[in-house]
Amino acid sequence: MRHHRDDVVRHAIVVLDTYGLADLTMRRLASELDVRPSALYHHFRDKQSLLAAVADELLRRGARPLAAQAWDEQVVELCSGLRDALLAYRDGAELVSTVIAFGLGASQPYDDLVTALAPARLGEELASTAARTLLHFVLGHTLDEQTHLQAGSAGAIGDDPRPRSDFGAGLGLVVDGIRLRSSRGVDARA
């Protein structure tokens, strides 16, 4: 049976969600698809390009239209939506973080944040830094949440699930800082 690129990505997401990122290998994926591993290289030059496609698909699936009008409210919506998209799949935060760190893809969240921040008139350099800071906060916080949940589920730690997340409060602190810079104007870089 011949599989299309989209089929391979969909199956890779199932493998990711079932076994985790460490076990998302070309060999396992090929076995799940009932093909030889070499057949996957017809669609992806290496495992990293497969992971990039999987990360982009997870982000695409999690995307939702913005309801907010104000730039700071859009930023909160984007960051919350990204967190939800990452939490929807096992090791989602680790996968997307890795793909971004390697410069292989998953650039949509950054691009969306830069666009949302434009009305804040931070200037290109500071808007870029603000978008990266927001992205790092979301990825780091979500990675911590997923790792804690998975470790608890596997019995690796004795902690109970955390009663509630402080994601919103932390995000609010970051957005407050950006809002402060925005009120100072474009030339306030200190």
Side-chain angles (χ1 to χ4, degrees), residues 92-110:
E94 183 180 0
L95 170 67
V96 172
S97 295
T98 300
V99 168
I100 290 172
F102 289 0
L104 298 172
S107 60
Q108 195 62 53
Y110 170 82

Side-chain angles (χ1 to χ4, degrees), residues 121-173:
R121 297 188 351 251
L122 297 168
E124 188 176 326
E125 186 177 332
L126 194 55
S128 178
T129 299
R132 280 193 310 278
T133 300
L134 288 159
L135 194 54
H136 292 158
F137 172 76
V138 175
L139 293 169
H141 196 285
T142 309
L143 179 61
D144 174 73
E145 287 181 289
Q146 281 189 318
T147 302
H148 188 271
L149 281 171
Q150 290 172 11
S153 295
I157 58 174
D159 291 358
D160 291 328
R162 294 175 180 152
R164 63 182 182 84
S165 174
D166 63 354
F167 177 81
L171 179 58
L173 290 171

Side-chain angles (χ1 to χ4, degrees), residues 21-62:
L21 184 58
D23 290 324
L24 175 53
T25 64
M26 297 299 253
R27 184 175 306 244
R28 180 180 294 268
L29 181 57
S31 174
E32 295 282 327
L33 291 168
D34 197 28
V35 298
R36 292 179 183 221
S38 59
L40 299 178
Y41 294 101
H42 172 73
H43 300 292
F44 301 98
R45 70 180 175 278
D46 52 27
K47 181 180 176 181
Q48 289 73 26
S49 61
L50 169 67
L51 294 179
V54 171
D56 285 337
E57 178 61 16
L58 293 186
L59 293 171
R60 187 195 65 72
R61 288 180 180 188

